[in-house]
Amino acid sequence: MYSKVNSGLTLGIDGVMISVETDTSQGLPGLNLVGYLASSVKEAGERVRAALKNSGISLPNRRITVNLSPADLRKDGALFDVAIAVGIIISLEYFDISEEMYDEIQHTCFLGELGLDGSVLPVKGALPIVDRAVKSGITRVILPRENCDEATYIKEVEVCPVTHLDDILEILILGKWPDKYERNSEEQCVNDIHYDMADIRGQETMKQGVVMAVAGFHNILLTGAAGAGKSMVAKCIPGIMPPLSYEESMELTKIYSVAGLLDRSGGFVTKRPFRSLSQNISQVTLLGGGAYSRPGEVTLATGGVLFLDEFPEFPRSVIESLRQPMEDKVVTVSRLKASYTYPARFMLVSARNNCPCGFFPDRKKCKCNAREIQKYQGKISHPIMDRIDIRLEIRPVSYRELFSDERGMSSEEAREKIMIARERQEARYINEDFTFNSEIPQGKIGDFIHLGTKEENLLQRTYEDSNMSARGYYRILRLARTVADINDREDISTDDIEHALYYRNETETSVQWL
């Protein structure tokens, strides 16, 4: 007998529906799985055989063929086990399944790995598969209990948990579906403040630069002597970032589901990620891929921060590999058997010293010669620097500032400024597919950034008198847009442009924050 059961897999961070077709016939006994399968899927035959036996169902001496369609798409992982088992049970006609029940099965998606004892184990990538299943007309999904929290965020589907193959048999024998799963936990949408910017003394300019970066999602590089507070202010960033929108949370949850990093207790990502990298990271870990392709750090940081401390100490190849994702906001991983595209919409926060020893420009302590300093600073190429909107020079903190009673801007005050800018951006880009000023496509800059004569003249003089690139010019415009938003203004003034020029370090003119 022939049977068909729905399952799915992930391609990048998107789900793809897979049809599990089963046919039983007379012939040489055996269980054959076909359909462009990885070894982890080919081994499913033995897992399913053992799980069925330990659940009271022994396979007869018949030829069983299972096809995973479409045949030209490579299947990987153990998430098809439950669907294969259901297909075999139906095809062997162990139970009298009515046409009505079979029709319901055609509108159900089965996901889960089987243990040899028949237990149903959690899988990676459940959320994007369920999302795709709903769009394909599926009304119910059968999932391992551990995957149910994430799946319930897809509203148009009935999520039914199972823990053992016996639960599946109960569905087929009695025609009784498990109770719909209800999520108990409530998500928290705002990051907690664990590090307060008020504890950083005497670095108000650096704090303002970080506020600008977070408000508009701009890349930032902090350069200065060791111990000036660069790493400390970076640790404060998670506490001042704006909450995620539903669309951003859904995208992040799909990413972490595919990567197998989803928190089973909550199920939905509600806080912006902060990914701090070590200097021994490889390109594969950074960009994604590998033998079994998975998202890299640039993808895991989507919607949040990718923090690279001691930036020049990273391998040159790793630094240069950031060019394409910084510009295109996606990363494509090509392999022999497939090509995967992952989102990479991150905010780069990087820090570096002025020299290898970290004391320059204090010549009393710094022993580095000019060539060593030039070589160290030259590890960050011009194309990378040009993609960084805010490039701040951080001076050491004086003794008087360090022990002053004036605490300066706190994280709470910074968050208030950021939320003002965020609310303006939400209203402005409500009908667009981007959310922050730094993401404005070049073709739409004229729609959202309007300059007066004075402002245009200032930018023209700066462009002609400096080595600013065309990319740098448009990044100045986006940065000025953010400065105006922080100050709760729609019109961009010359002061806003001067602030943008100062914080991008395109001019030596120093201005005070308004």
Side-chain angles (χ1 to χ4, degrees), residues 72 86 244 269 286 310 350 368:
D72 61 344
V86 171
L244 290 164
V269 178
L286 180 68
E310 304 296 342
S350 52
C368 303

Side-chain angles (χ1 to χ4, degrees), residues 28-43:
L28 188 65
L31 175 57
N32 301 308
L33 277 70
V34 297
Y36 196 10
L37 311 178
S39 59
S40 59
V41 185
K42 293 177 182 178
E43 294 166 355

Side-chain angles (χ1 to χ4, degrees), residues 15-154:
V16 178
M17 293 305 297
I18 298 297
S19 295
V20 179
E21 300 175 301
T22 307
D23 181 74
T24 57
S25 60
Q26 299 295 330
L28 188 65
L31 175 57
N32 301 308
L33 277 70
V34 297
Y36 196 10
L37 311 178
S39 59
S40 59
V41 185
K42 293 177 182 178
E43 294 166 355
E46 296 305 315
R47 288 195 300 272
V48 171
R49 185 192 299 273
L52 288 171
K53 177 179 71 68
N54 291 318
S55 298
I57 299 177
S58 296
L59 297 185
N61 292 327
R62 303 188 67 182
R63 182 176 183 82
I64 303 173
T65 303
V66 179
N67 176 45
L68 276 64
S69 175
D72 61 344
L73 184 64
R74 188 171 187 265
K75 291 84 179 176
D76 195 3
L79 68 172
F80 309 107
D81 290 5
V82 169
I84 292 172
V86 171
I88 291 174
I89 293 170
I90 296 173
S91 185
L92 290 175
E93 299 182 282
Y94 267 108
F95 312 110
D96 185 16
I97 298 176
S98 65
E99 291 186 8
E100 181 181 354
M101 183 61 179
Y102 187 73
D103 184 62
E104 284 196 55
I105 291 174
Q106 299 312 299
H107 291 85
T108 302
C109 180
F110 293 85
L111 295 174
E113 177 184 348
L114 286 176
L116 298 185
D117 62 348
S119 57
V120 180
L121 307 176
V123 295
K124 298 178 182 179
L127 179 63
I129 296 173
V130 174
D131 186 35
R132 172 54 58 189
V134 170
K135 295 174 181 176
S136 302
I138 297 296
T139 58
R140 181 188 291 112
V141 292
I142 301 296
L143 285 172
R145 182 171 292 276
E146 294 85 347
N147 289 117
C148 287
D149 271 333
E150 58 182 292
T152 54
Y153 288 94
I154 306 298

Side-chain angles (χ1 to χ4, degrees), residues 317-370:
S317 60
V318 169
I319 296 174
E320 292 302 314
S321 68
L322 288 170
R323 287 195 197 185
Q324 184 259 333
M326 287 174 70
E327 192 72 25
D328 299 336
K329 306 302 181 184
V330 296
V331 59
T332 301
V333 179
S334 297
R335 291 294 180 264
L336 178 64
K337 297 180 180 179
S339 180
Y340 306 91
T341 298
Y342 298 109
R345 191 174 51 84
F346 59 88
M347 170 184 153
L348 177 67
V349 177
S350 52
R352 66 173 180 176
N353 299 325
N354 285 310
C355 68
C357 75
F359 290 114
F360 185 82
D362 186 352
R363 276 305 187 180
K364 294 180 181 179
K365 297 180 180 180
C366 178
K367 305 302 179 184
C368 303
N369 58 44

